[in-house]
Amino acid sequence: MTIWQLPSMLLVVISSVSTHPHHLFEYDELSQYVDSHQEEYVQTLRDWVAVESDSSDVLRRPDCHRMMDMTAEKLQAMGGKVELVDIGVQELPDGKTVALPKVVTAQFGSDPSKQTVCVYGHVDVQPAKLEDGWATEPYNLTDINGNLYGRGASDNKAPVLAWIHTVEAYQALSIDLPVNVKFIIEGMEETGSNGLDAMIVAQKDTFFSDVDYIIISDCGWLSRRPALTYGTRGNCYFFAEVEGPKQDLHSGVYGGTVIEPMTDLIGILDTLISPSGKILIPGIREAVAPLSDEEWKMYQDIEFDIESFKSKIGVSQLMYSNKVDLLAHRWRYPTVTIHGIEGGFSGPGSKTVIPAKVIAKFSIRQVPNMDPAVVKKQVTDYLNSVFAKRKSPNKLKVTMIIGAKPWLADTKHPLYEAGKAAVKRVFNVEPDLIREGGTIPIAKTFEDVTGKSIIMMPIGGFDDGLHSQNEKMSRYNYIEGTKLFIAYLHEVAHLKKD
């Protein structure tokens, strides 16, 4: 190259930078910052996992309160505008009340010319005990071969921390946050988010008024390929109670003379679903939105290995043998699951008892266009009619205790385009667009109450073992997931303000 060519080249470079200021996104610096602070991030996760914030156990409630305080302190230390919002009390079965963990809200930046995103997460966890079959102490985060084992690591403490570290990285490098960031973090998600719906309604015109988009990172990938989630199933949870004699009876003394509640109950449960998985309750299947060709094509393109799915859950045969059918029945069709029966004898050993009252627990996953209120009536009417045919003197009572609606987003929305761009930048692949078989009821509440667009952006691995023994978050997903969130804020900043 001759010397006289240099100035014109320099000019070209300089002018292209100045006319495209967003090329200045300092992703590499931010990414290096995250890499060099990963030990610190793992230690913070260890501190958070050590708090046994099991929301289902009232005796652990002080731990839940402490977890909310720790979350608030962390956000406060970063200079966020933080509030601990009192959402009232929980009524216990014995009539006593106990305080609900407060909800933490935080705000970083309030520039009206910028987009505002609100990140939702939770810091309560499912129950866990070493004797349940954990290989390590569930509340002592243990690093084995790059996997961080501990209850709540993936669901949802690491993703919440990854978002917090995202804001922290921008701050540490004195790089302006490309968007305003709000947080709403709760401590009752695992038991149904008591009190949160009312709080969202109450803050609709205050905390949520300037929010453009809501981001939920409380789910996982389907395979080793990063994913964006655009749908979740809802759930209707039922109790079916059959009551007969006034107390339990001896099966030798009374067996053969009374019509037994357990026999009635098993009989009606067997009419809910066929061996091939077909739901037998009239009206349920008819309510399901038909599978479109476009949707079929999307499922066809998704990375999913049936054999490894089978071996991971330890079964020799699945309900369906091809990928599309399997994914469709996991994500976009309803199913009936019988969870257990209360009141019968289920301890070890043998006991010759006729249980006087038995309660079955079962649920039906909800998909578009099912409506929980309609499902409640369909199930109640059907079970009552099946029971009537038995001509039993026992009494049947059917109640629905949860009725959570499904949620579905439009994958062509700019939020998802921004998500694809962020995944491409960090992982250099196109993400899979997936749905979730489980329920995240808060997504539907956010949508219905605030009217804002929502994206689910998971960083959890497909094999994290949520709600199971040996739950883990891989170091790779935790650290690269933080970079994904950093890149995502940059991409969202370029969306047109609604």
Side-chain angles (χ1 to χ4, degrees):
M1 162 186 297
T2 51
I3 293 300
W4 57 266
Q5 281 180 297
L6 269 174
S8 62
M9 266 191 65
L10 279 173
L11 260 173
V12 168
V13 172
I14 288 162
S15 66
S16 74
V17 168
S18 61
T19 53
H20 295 100
H22 64 259
H23 283 168
L24 285 173
F25 177 40
E26 290 144 294
Y27 174 71
D28 292 340
E29 279 174 71
L30 287 156
S31 172
Q32 280 154 12
Y33 180 87
V34 170
D35 284 334
S36 62
H37 286 76
Q38 60 172 298
E39 290 316 315
E40 201 182 299
Y41 297 164
V42 170
Q43 185 52 48
T44 307
L45 181 60
R46 184 169 286 116
D47 298 341
W48 279 32
V49 166
V51 182
E52 301 185 29
S53 49
D54 169 3
S55 52
S56 71
D57 181 353
V58 181
L59 299 175
R60 293 252 83 93
R61 192 52 56 89
D63 292 299
C64 292
H65 293 312
R66 188 156 69 92
M67 194 64 240
M68 302 323 297
D69 289 340
M70 278 171 69
T71 308
E73 282 156 21
K74 172 93 181 148
L75 292 160
Q76 243 148 3
M78 292 160 56
K81 184 180 151 197
V82 180
E83 275 183 57
L84 278 155
V85 183
D86 188 340
I87 53 167
V89 296
Q90 177 184 1
E91 201 158 314
L92 303 176
D94 62 7
K96 294 200 181 85
T97 59
V98 57
L100 288 166
K102 291 185 166 67
V103 171
V104 176
T105 64
Q107 180 172 357
F108 294 88
S110 54
D111 182 338
S113 68
K114 290 180 183 173
Q115 302 274 8
T116 299
V117 302
C118 176
V119 173
Y120 161 85
H122 67 91
V123 288
D124 62 314
V125 301
Q126 284 277 323
K129 293 192 192 77
L130 185 61
E131 56 270 26
D132 293 341
W134 281 72
T136 59
E137 279 292 345
Y139 294 102
N140 179 12
L141 192 75
T142 310
D143 188 344
I144 304 171
N145 300 330
N147 285 323
L148 308 166
Y149 290 91
R151 173 55 90 221
S154 181
D155 183 16
N156 185 231
K157 288 175 178 177
V160 168
L161 280 169
W163 273 113
I164 291 173
H165 295 144
T166 291
V167 173
E168 231 173 18
Y170 275 99
Q171 289 179 335
L173 295 175
S174 303
I175 300 171
D176 204 21
L177 272 173
V179 296
N180 305 310
V181 180
K182 288 186 162 187
F183 286 90
I184 177 165
I185 312 290
E186 67 156 326
M188 285 297 285
E189 192 272 346
E190 298 294 3
T191 50
S193 298
N194 317 35
L196 188 63
D197 284 18
M199 181 228 156
I200 293 168
V201 171
Q203 303 235 6
K204 175 183 171 221
D205 299 321
T206 48
F207 181 77
F208 291 102
S209 62
D210 58 352
V211 170
D212 295 294
Y213 308 115
I214 295 170
I215 308 170
I216 299 176
S217 301
D218 185 21
C219 36
W221 299 351
L222 182 67
S223 65
R224 298 206 182 281
R225 179 185 286 271
L228 300 173
T229 307
Y230 66 95
T232 59
R233 289 195 290 193
N235 201 18
C236 289
Y237 202 110
F238 291 91
F239 288 177
E241 179 186 301
V242 178
E243 193 171 2
K246 65 179 184 200
Q247 64 195 49
D248 287 356
L249 302 172
H250 184 304
S251 71
V253 178
Y254 295 99
T257 67
V258 294
I259 294 159
E260 301 183 13
M262 183 69 92
T263 310
D264 277 343
L265 187 63
I266 302 281
I268 66 171
L269 289 178
D270 191 42
T271 68
L272 293 172
I273 190 163
S274 79
S276 65
K278 181 176 162 189
I279 296 175
L280 303 172
I281 305 152
I284 299 260
R285 297 202 330 274
E286 291 75 0
V288 178
L291 179 71
S292 68
D293 292 347
E294 185 186 9
E295 206 180 339
W296 190 91
K297 175 84 175 73
M298 271 172 82
Y299 290 2
Q300 193 58 45
D301 294 341
I302 285 171
E303 189 174 311
F304 180 73
D305 180 1
I306 292 188
E307 288 312 310
S308 72
F309 181 71
K310 273 205 305 218
S311 72
K312 185 183 124 197
I313 47 185
V315 297
S316 60
Q317 185 191 333
L318 295 162
M319 199 67 100
Y320 305 94
S321 55
N322 73 73
K323 178 172 80 174
V324 174
D325 279 340
L326 207 60
L327 291 176
H329 283 87
R330 190 176 165 183
W331 292 344
R332 59 113 47 236
Y333 287 117
T335 185
V336 171
T337 301
I338 299 167
H339 306 289
I341 295 177
E342 182 187 335
F345 170 65
S346 61
S350 60
K351 181 180 175 189
T352 51
V353 65
I354 298 173
K357 179 168 102 173
V358 284
I359 305 167
K361 291 153 189 217
F362 67 93
S363 69
I364 303 179
R365 291 287 162 178
Q366 304 291 294
V367 299
N369 300 309
M370 294 166 74
D371 175 356
V374 175
V375 172
K376 177 183 175 177
K377 185 175 180 346
Q378 287 167 334
V379 170
T380 308
D381 290 352
Y382 176 65
L383 284 181
N384 279 317
S385 77
V386 169
F387 186 69
K389 291 194 183 103
R390 296 180 69 86
K391 302 199 172 9
S392 167
N394 298 325
K395 289 191 246 344
L396 168 68
K397 188 169 106 198
V398 180
T399 44
M400 184 171 90
I401 59 154
I402 296 172
K405 293 176 179 172
W407 167 80
L408 194 61
D410 173 13
T411 54
K412 295 186 178 61
H413 190 281
L415 267 188
Y416 282 83
E417 295 305 325
K420 289 175 203 170
V423 168
K424 196 99 166 76
R425 186 189 290 266
V426 179
F427 297 101
N428 208 20
V429 295
E430 290 289 333
D432 273 334
L433 292 170
I434 66 171
R435 285 162 78 158
E436 191 66 60
T439 305
I440 305 178
I442 200 60
K444 194 69 186 152
T445 302
F446 279 137
E447 190 174 77
D448 292 348
V449 175
T450 69
K452 314 290 180 183
S453 296
I454 299 167
I455 185 171
M456 290 195 184
M457 179 167 273
I459 59 168
F462 69 96
D463 55 355
D464 281 356
L466 315 184
H467 295 206
S468 183
Q469 296 90 338
N470 306 317
E471 177 184 345
K472 60 90 179 161
M473 181 77 181
S474 76
R475 195 181 262 264
Y476 174 80
N477 282 54
Y478 185 27
I479 301 308
E480 299 306 306
T482 305
K483 297 176 190 174
L484 175 66
F485 294 163
I486 285 171
Y488 190 59
L489 292 186
H490 168 76
E491 296 297 340
V492 171
H494 300 298
L495 302 183
K496 302 268 176 287
K497 236 169 135 51
D498 282 359

